[in-house]
Amino acid sequence: MFHQCEGLAIDEDLTLGDLQGVLLSFARAMFGPDRQVRLRPHFFPFTEPSIECDVSCFQCGGSGLLPDGSRDPLCKGEGWLEILGAGMVDRTCSGCRGQRL
């Protein structure tokens, strides 16, 4: 099953820090304040910079292992679930080439 949501923020002086704050708030609102959240760099062709957002796996508590010691198939034994990718739209894709965004 695939779900997608999109958001767009347009303003002067927006930074990756603004995007990080929105993503952290979103992840905690969706998955609860007790979930650990990590943001890591990634490449998406139409956004720069780009990041992926992961939350700690609720099934294994972020350890990657089930109570019987076997690898958790939900998080593939990594302890993290990838929940979304995000980035800031590259000005060459938005038709603003040569303009200050």
Side-chain angles (χ1 to χ4, degrees), residues 5-9 87 89:
C5 70
E6 296 185 27
L8 179 64
V89 176

Side-chain angles (χ1 to χ4, degrees), residues 31-42:
F31 298 98
D34 58 332
R35 287 292 118 224
Q36 291 181 352
V37 181
R38 75 175 178 185
L39 303 173
R40 52 193 170 88
H42 195 72

